[in-house]
Every structure is written in structure tokens, then in C-alpha cells.
Amino acid sequence: MFDLSTASGTVRITAAGPDETGAIVYTCTGAVRGTLHAAATHHPNQWDDFSAVRVSLGSANDMEEFPAEPLPRLGRGTRAYHGSIVRLLNEPAEYGWRLTPCGIRDADDRDAPPQTAHTLETLMRAVAADYAARPDLPRLFAVARKRETPTLLRWLAAMTPSAEADMRRSEQQAARYRAQGRAVLAAWWHAAGVFAAQPSPVLALVLAPAREGLAHRAGYLPHWAEIHDESATFYRRRLHHYRAEAEGLRRPRRSRTPVTAAAH
């Protein structure tokens, strides 16, 4: 149990023991009434790296629904709020926080007032720090990996074919534009050779840099090939990333110890 001073007043926070999922329910009284969930989880950009702590208001969770818990309310207010924050333990404290993109919102999906949002974010940060300071944190990360791995592997299995198809399509488009560019350039030089030997108004029009003429197409087709080469590289990196994450989940590498001291 600990007390936390916030912009809305003092909040008393009581933590239960970890449940079978490794999550801890924090119950708040005082300036804030309700619960928060804290759990070890994976890095949002590297799914086989379990070095993050997620704190959610009430039972909100990105991957699965925890048992329903009362959403936090301020003082005697009737509005309940949801939202979550992630603390990346291996990143410096000033950069290692990720608030849910939608922010903190009430049950009617309205943005929380500024002071309320500040209070609840302060509360989530304090709970994340408390969870990250637990001596059994390595065990909680092991539990999180075991719990989340099947879901993460299913997601990666579903996303990998799309990334591969996008990569192949971009490669094929790049090759097609490159081949068309070579053919158009060769046609231009052939027409130029004929024109040099026997000038004619028709060939002059063919050689002119008019829109969609040979010269124009010879200029932009290689550029389109480069664009699709870049696209193929992007999807190739994404595909390799997905495959590396899946391999890391199937055969866990030796985990880095999260830098928990920076969580406070």
C-alpha cells in the first residue's frame, strides 16, 4: 500500500498479489476510486522482446480481456475512464512511456478533462514503477511470455503471407517498369538513328519530349522502377522482422534484464 499525491488530491493504492496471468490489480481509494491492471508484456515494436509493463485503467487490455474490474472515477464523479500506458523498461525513463493512441477517455468515448487525464496518467506511471520494482519481475515476464506467445504467433502467421505477397508484387512491378523503360529507350534510339539517316516530320514527333511520348516514358519508367524497388525493400524488411519475431517466440533468446531502476 502507498499514497500518491496528484493534481486531484491524494490517492491510496493497494496492490493484490499476482494472479495466474502475472497481472496485479491495484485498488485506488481517495481522490480516485476504482482499479488499475498492471502486467508484464512484450515490447510493442518487437514482439519477442518481453521487457515492457502495461498498466490499464480497469480491465482494458490490448490482447485479451482480464476479469472485469471497476473503471476509475475521480472523487464523487460519475464518469468512469479507460486507457492504458506502456513502460519500456530498457529505454530511458523520459522516452520509455507510450500512452494509448486514443488517450484517456470516458465510458461515452469522450476525452478526459486535462486535470483528470493528468491525474490518471500520473497514477498509471506510479503503478508501472511499483510493478517494475517487484523482486519477482523475471518470473512475471516468464509468465507473460507463456501467456502471450500463442496469440502473438497466430497474429504473425496471419500477417506474414500478406507481407510476402506485397514484397513479391513490388518486385514484379519494379521489374516490369524497368523492362518497359529499357524497351522504350531502345525504341527511341532506333527512331533517332532512322531520323538521322532520313529526317521526317513523323519521326520528329515520335522523338519529341511530348507527354507519354517515347522520351517522356523513357524518363519516368526507371523512376517508377526505383519507387517499387524501395517498396519491395520496405516489405522485405517487414517480412524478415515478422519471421525473426516468430523465431524468437518459438526459441526464446536469452532475455535482457529490464532496467527497472529507470522506471521510477
Side-chain angles (χ1 to χ4, degrees):
M1 177 185 297
F2 62 96
D3 291 343
L4 179 70
S5 295
T6 73
S8 302
T10 300
V11 182
R12 173 151 291 190
I13 305 167
T14 304
D19 62 18
E20 67 279 2
T21 70
I24 292 178
V25 176
Y26 288 80
T27 302
C28 302
T29 56
V32 176
R33 297 173 291 114
T35 61
L36 291 83
H37 252 99
T41 189
H42 61 279
H43 191 292
N45 299 328
Q46 187 68 44
W47 290 0
D48 60 335
D49 177 14
F50 281 76
S51 61
V53 172
R54 180 183 304 280
V55 177
S56 303
L57 301 176
S59 58
N61 183 268
D62 283 355
M63 293 187 61
E64 59 196 56
E65 286 297 325
F66 287 119
E69 301 287 349
L71 290 171
R73 304 170 189 267
L74 266 69
R76 297 183 180 180
T78 57
R79 289 189 184 182
Y81 295 94
H82 61 88
S84 64
I85 198 168
V86 175
R87 172 68 177 102
L88 309 179
L89 299 183
N90 285 323
E91 295 188 15
E94 62 270 27
Y95 304 116
W97 296 97
R98 305 278 181 88
L99 190 63
T100 345
C102 62
I104 298 173
R105 304 177 73 84
D106 67 15
D108 295 321
D109 209 29
R110 296 173 296 189
D111 289 335
Q115 180 172 310
T116 297
H118 183 269
T119 294
L120 293 174
E121 186 175 342
T122 300
L123 189 58
M124 287 192 287
R125 286 173 177 253
V127 165
D130 183 78
Y131 187 98
R134 291 183 60 87
D136 60 346
L137 188 64
R139 182 185 69 82
L140 297 178
F141 274 117
V143 171
R145 178 182 285 274
K146 183 177 180 180
R147 182 186 76 245
E148 295 184 11
T149 289
T151 300
L152 294 172
L153 284 174
R154 283 196 301 272
W155 289 353
L156 288 168
M159 294 186 298
T160 297
S162 175
E164 185 169 11
D166 289 335
M167 180 190 71
R168 299 299 180 204
R169 184 167 52 253
S170 294
E171 288 174 341
Q172 291 167 2
Q173 289 172 330
R176 183 167 61 252
Y177 281 122
R178 192 171 289 109
Q180 290 175 354
R182 288 195 296 266
V184 168
L185 184 61
W188 188 93
W189 279 110
H190 176 72
V194 174
F195 181 82
Q198 190 174 354
S200 77
V202 174
L203 286 176
L205 288 174
V206 169
L207 295 170
R211 183 172 179 80
E212 292 305 318
L214 290 178
H216 182 236
R217 287 168 57 80
Y220 76 70
L221 286 170
H223 178 61
W224 276 105
E226 291 176 3
I227 290 174
H228 286 286
D229 277 335
E230 292 173 1
S231 178
T233 298
F234 170 81
Y235 288 119
R236 189 176 301 111
R237 288 173 179 166
R238 173 177 286 183
L239 178 61
H240 290 168
H241 183 72
Y242 288 166
R243 287 174 173 169
E245 286 181 324
E247 181 64 19
L249 287 167
R250 294 189 191 98
R251 299 180 181 179
R253 298 184 293 271
R254 188 186 182 105
S255 299
R256 295 177 296 168
T257 301
V259 185
T260 56
H264 295 272

